[in-house]
Amino acid sequence: MSLPALHRDNLSGDIPDAFCQAMRNAGIEPPAEIIANGTLHRFTVTGDKPGSKNGWYVLHADHPAAGAFGCWKRGISETWSGAACHQTMTPAEKIAYTAKMEAIRRQQDEERDRVQAECRAWCSNAWAKARDADNQNPYLKGKGVNAYGLKSFNDTLLIPVQDADGTIHGLQFISPEDSKKFKTGTNKTGHFFKIGKSKDKTVLICEGYATGASIHQATGHSVVIAFDAGNLKPVAEGIRAKCPGYKIIICADDDQGTEGNPGLTKATEAARSVGGKLAVPVFQDRSTRGTDFNDLHQAEGLEAVRSCLEAATQPDQARTSPQLKVVTIHELLQTNLPERESLLHPIILTQSISMIHSWRGLGKTHVGLGIAYAVSSGGKFLKWEVPEPRGVLYIDGEMPASALQKRLAEIVEASDTEPAPDYFRIITPDLQESGAMPDLSTPEGQTAVDAMLTPQTALIIVDNISCLCRTGRENEAESWVSVQGWALRQRAAGRSIIFIHHSGKSGEQRGASKREDILDLVLKLKRPVDYEQSQGARFEVVVEKGRHLLGPDAESFEAQLSTNAAGLQQWLFRDLAQATYSRVIALAGDGLTQKEIADELGINKSNVCRHWKRAKQAGLIPDQEFRKGKVARCAC
């Protein structure tokens, strides 16, 4: 695609090229001709109606270069500078640059005011001419709600965007197919649409019309429509300023399938800013993909909506004080519950809570990353296999991003499988703007992580407890209560958790033993007695607790990270009994007695005797072996 022609011949080619590329990067195709005279110019954006001129730009191309561009219809407004020029500016040039940017901002403000004034006039006229909407409107019928003060043009609904005095600042258009658009120039910030009159000095605020109508039909309270999540806080603050004694409830959209969960995040911010309460839709049927109170209305009825709204709490409590539900034994037995499946067969099930612990430097993170990659890609790890790929969120609390990158690259290179897009997601400190990681001991930290979960997320790996559960003391049982509640909520939502933790001096998991109460599985990584530093990640995998494991599935084994002939990493493993058998033979060959071998390996003497007899029958331990001046004999 050729670049637009410049109106001035003496400009550096880099400036117009960079300016036009910035426009394209923002989603606006530049006009055919750029006039770089420092004046705001309007143009028709590709795809818009001819003559609409929703796009605009300003460009000072003489040194130091500065400009701005945008599109009122698309809500785009960006400034631009010639970065290469800016780095070498003299003091005089910096003054000139600042003056140019100030002039651009004034033109932006004037253009915005002009567009918004045109919008107000057009929308007021259109609203006056439109007919009243009725409950038979296709969109309203599909949503199961009534028309409260709406108008329509054919089957398209018109919803006014108003201020407290009733002035119309724009219109939202909703088609029967649920397409929502605003008139170009609509100023939403702090403006709203209101349903009903306040009773008991209570106001409920939500995002969309259908959601607000469902809430009003369920409660009879006044409901204010803010139109989107980002406008919840400005609207709430405006209402608080006008009605300081009112009870305000922010009704969130729970956008669990959207990164960052903007509905819940912005609603929480709004509730906090005005000292209001937060209500979140809770669906009894977990398979429901609903996000808002209209979805809940359609799925479970107005009583379910009313119950959730009556259970509204302070925002920091909204996720930790759920409404209790009691069932009879007959109801429980008749409830259709999903069967638990294997995430990593046979060791980890769906809806399970597990822990992996070991001393520092033994290989916990190697194991955590290996499990995460296998589950997300449908591969294998150690003795375990993945029946089908599932989404994984890996929360790394301490590794440098470069080290994490290197380990994952080695795993990918050696693997025959690869995760689908969005199936292996990672939160790590170095990539956070502040460098701070969430504290899962706090509601804020839990909410931050919850916002990162997607519908595909089946497994959350927390690496490790010390870094990511920081509030309270490690050896106090009460410090674990909040984390435990969060883990149980994840399990109730169908997810599994693996906590990675340090072992204490005794070899047991560090801190309060209360942690083990809710755990389905506890794996301890233990250093073999004959371990040498040069062997790297080599350890025994011991099942300390496994509610669902029986027989061979619960047996311990030894694992070691190695490289194959092609230089790719590979995991070698063998049963612990076989490893002990080999060590008994080797130590017997060194001339140690059974008692000395038992002391060396830290196992029972009868265990040594059993391996000794087996090796002797195989001819691997002669009756007498003279080594180092000792005679190794069977004491049996």
Side-chain angles (χ1 to χ4, degrees):
M1 184 181 296
S2 61
L3 289 169
L6 261 292
H7 196 69
R8 292 174 54 180
D9 298 329
N10 61 342
L11 302 179
S12 165
D14 293 341
I15 293 172
D17 290 2
F19 183 72
C20 293
Q21 188 58 53
M23 295 179 75
R24 291 194 180 95
N25 291 342
I28 303 173
E29 181 61 31
E33 182 182 45
I34 297 290
I35 302 174
N37 61 358
T39 300
L40 189 142
H41 299 274
R42 302 178 71 197
F43 64 95
T44 301
V45 178
T46 302
D48 288 354
K49 292 180 180 179
S52 59
K53 294 190 176 181
N54 292 313
W56 58 270
Y57 72 88
V58 184
L59 178 60
H60 293 265
D62 52 319
H63 185 73
F69 57 84
C71 175
W72 298 116
K73 180 178 180 179
R74 294 164 179 80
I76 299 171
S77 180
E78 295 190 9
T79 57
W80 176 87
S81 65
C85 299
H86 193 273
Q87 295 170 358
T88 58
M89 282 183 191
T90 66
E93 288 171 337
K94 290 180 180 179
I95 293 173
Y97 175 79
T98 302
K100 289 177 183 179
M101 294 305 297
E102 182 58 36
I104 288 172
R105 291 189 187 97
R106 285 197 301 270
Q107 292 184 71
Q108 285 180 275
D109 292 343
E110 291 170 0
E111 175 69 3
R112 183 191 64 242
D113 292 343
R114 186 192 63 76
V115 171
Q116 290 180 353
E118 288 181 356
C119 176
R120 287 195 298 271
W122 188 95
C123 290
S124 295
N125 185 51
W127 181 256
K129 293 180 179 180
R131 64 178 176 83
D132 292 339
D134 58 40
N135 298 339
Q136 299 307 307
N137 177 274
Y139 173 79
L140 299 177
K141 287 184 67 176
K143 292 292 186 178
V145 295
N146 299 328
Y148 296 104
L150 305 182
K151 292 192 175 184
S152 65
F153 180 76
N154 294 329
D155 285 337
T156 298
L157 279 178
L158 276 62
I159 304 178
V161 181
Q162 300 170 301
D163 59 25
D165 297 325
T167 300
I168 295 178
H169 291 266
L171 288 174
Q172 183 184 49
F173 307 97
I174 304 181
S175 72
E177 297 76 30
D178 199 8
S179 170
K180 299 182 177 72
K181 296 181 180 179
F182 290 90
K183 170 63 178 173
T184 299
T186 293
N187 179 13
K188 286 186 293 181
T189 304
H191 300 146
F192 52 83
F193 176 70
K194 183 180 177 183
I195 300 175
K197 294 184 178 181
S198 176
K199 65 175 185 178
D200 302 328
K201 294 186 175 181
T202 299
V203 176
L204 297 93
I205 305 174
C206 66
E207 291 187 36
Y209 177 81
T211 299
S214 291
I215 293 169
H216 179 69
Q217 288 171 209
T219 66
H221 283 299
S222 175
V223 179
V224 172
I225 312 302
F227 297 104
D228 60 41
N231 201 31
L232 288 171
K233 184 177 177 182
V235 168
E237 290 176 341
I239 292 174
R240 173 59 76 217
K242 191 173 182 64
C243 307
Y246 275 44
K247 176 182 178 182
I248 297 177
I249 300 175
I250 309 297
C251 307
D253 283 12
D254 193 359
D255 301 324
Q256 294 189 39
T258 303
E259 185 170 354
N261 198 332
L264 181 58
T265 301
K266 295 296 184 181
T268 301
E269 291 177 4
R272 286 175 180 155
S273 70
V274 297
K277 291 189 174 183
L278 178 67
V280 183
V282 177
F283 295 83
Q284 298 299 330
D285 182 359
R286 298 192 193 105
S287 66
T288 299
R289 296 292 183 181
T291 61
D292 59 41
F293 282 101
N294 180 258
D295 294 331
L296 183 61
H297 171 190
Q298 296 187 76
E300 301 179 23
L302 289 175
E303 184 58 39
V305 174
R306 189 179 302 112
S307 296
C308 286
L309 295 170
E310 289 174 351
T313 63
Q314 298 301 318
D316 291 337
Q317 300 172 356
R319 287 297 196 182
T320 56
S321 303
Q323 186 179 16
L324 294 177
K325 180 178 181 179
V326 178
V327 296
T328 66
I329 183 173
H330 301 90
E331 291 170 333
L332 178 61
L333 294 177
Q334 292 172 8
T335 300
N336 184 20
L337 298 173
E339 291 286 336
R340 295 179 73 188
E341 303 172 355
S342 286
L343 284 180
L344 186 62
H345 182 76
I347 200 78
I348 298 173
L349 300 178
T350 55
Q351 291 189 276
S352 64
I353 304 174
S354 308
M355 179 184 288
I356 300 172
H357 70 92
S358 75
W359 287 330
R360 294 181 183 277
L362 212 62
K364 298 186 295 294
T365 297
H366 278 299
V367 173
L369 292 174
I371 291 175
Y373 193 85
V375 171
S376 62
S377 67
K380 299 179 180 179
F381 181 65
L382 296 178
K383 297 170 59 175
W384 312 310
E385 298 186 8
V386 176
E388 65 173 293
R390 309 285 186 112
V392 177
L393 177 65
Y394 196 99
I395 311 174
D396 163 50
E398 62 180 3
M399 282 194 73
S402 58
L404 182 63
Q405 183 185 61
K406 182 175 183 296
R407 287 195 183 184
L408 287 171
E410 291 171 345
I411 292 173
V412 172
E413 188 178 13
S415 179
D416 295 328
T417 58
E418 183 175 331
D422 211 34
Y423 263 54
F424 191 169
R425 306 173 77 238
I426 301 162
I427 304 174
T428 190
D430 287 2
L431 301 185
Q432 310 308 310
E433 288 186 5
S434 65
M437 292 292 286
D439 182 353
L440 288 173
S441 303
T442 66
E444 293 82 4
Q446 294 166 12
T447 299
V449 170
D450 289 350
M452 296 298 105
L453 301 174
T454 67
Q456 293 79 28
T457 305
L459 175 64
I460 304 170
I461 300 180
V462 178
D463 185 8
N464 56 61
I465 287 176
S466 297
C467 294
L468 297 168
C469 305
R470 302 184 293 274
T471 301
R473 297 183 179 179
E474 192 174 55
N475 60 352
E476 288 181 352
E478 292 305 312
S479 299
W480 183 246
V481 170
S482 179
V483 183
Q484 176 176 286
W486 174 75
L488 290 173
R489 289 196 299 277
Q490 297 302 332
R491 186 177 72 184
R495 303 183 186 96
S496 296
I497 306 271
I498 298 177
F499 291 105
I500 296 180
H501 192 32
H502 297 302
S503 300
K505 293 180 180 179
S506 65
E508 304 305 312
Q509 63 103 349
R510 204 167 71 188
S513 60
K514 182 179 178 65
R515 290 196 180 98
E516 293 197 13
D517 293 348
I518 63 168
L519 299 178
D520 300 282
L521 172 74
V522 179
L523 294 181
K524 177 168 75 173
L525 308 185
K526 179 182 175 184
R527 180 161 288 166
V529 294
D530 58 346
Y531 174 80
E532 297 179 6
Q533 196 69 32
S534 61
Q535 294 174 330
R538 175 183 166 226
F539 44 79
E540 297 172 2
V541 181
V542 180
V543 179
E544 292 188 320
K545 180 180 181 180
R547 288 175 174 168
H548 58 289
L549 298 177
L550 297 172
D553 292 342
E555 291 182 357
S556 303
F557 62 95
E558 182 183 294
Q560 182 172 2
L561 181 59
S562 181
T563 55
N564 60 20
L568 302 177
Q569 75 170 29
Q570 64 177 356
W571 283 96
L572 306 176
F573 54 90
R574 56 180 177 172
D575 291 341
L576 199 55
Q578 181 61 39
T580 303
Y581 175 67
S582 300
R583 291 178 188 139
V584 168
I585 294 172
L587 294 173
D590 286 342
L592 273 67
T593 66
Q594 287 191 42
K595 182 178 184 308
E596 290 170 334
I597 294 173
D599 292 341
E600 176 73 16
L601 298 182
I603 60 178
N604 194 284
K605 184 179 175 183
S606 61
N607 194 2
V608 176
C609 182
R610 183 170 62 254
H611 290 303
W612 185 293
K613 285 183 176 179
R614 176 186 164 197
K616 187 175 180 181
Q617 290 172 358
L620 300 176
I621 299 179
D623 286 338
Q624 289 188 339
E625 275 285 340
F626 294 93
R627 297 282 174 88
K628 298 180 181 179
K630 294 185 179 181
V631 179
R633 298 186 178 87
C634 179
C636 302

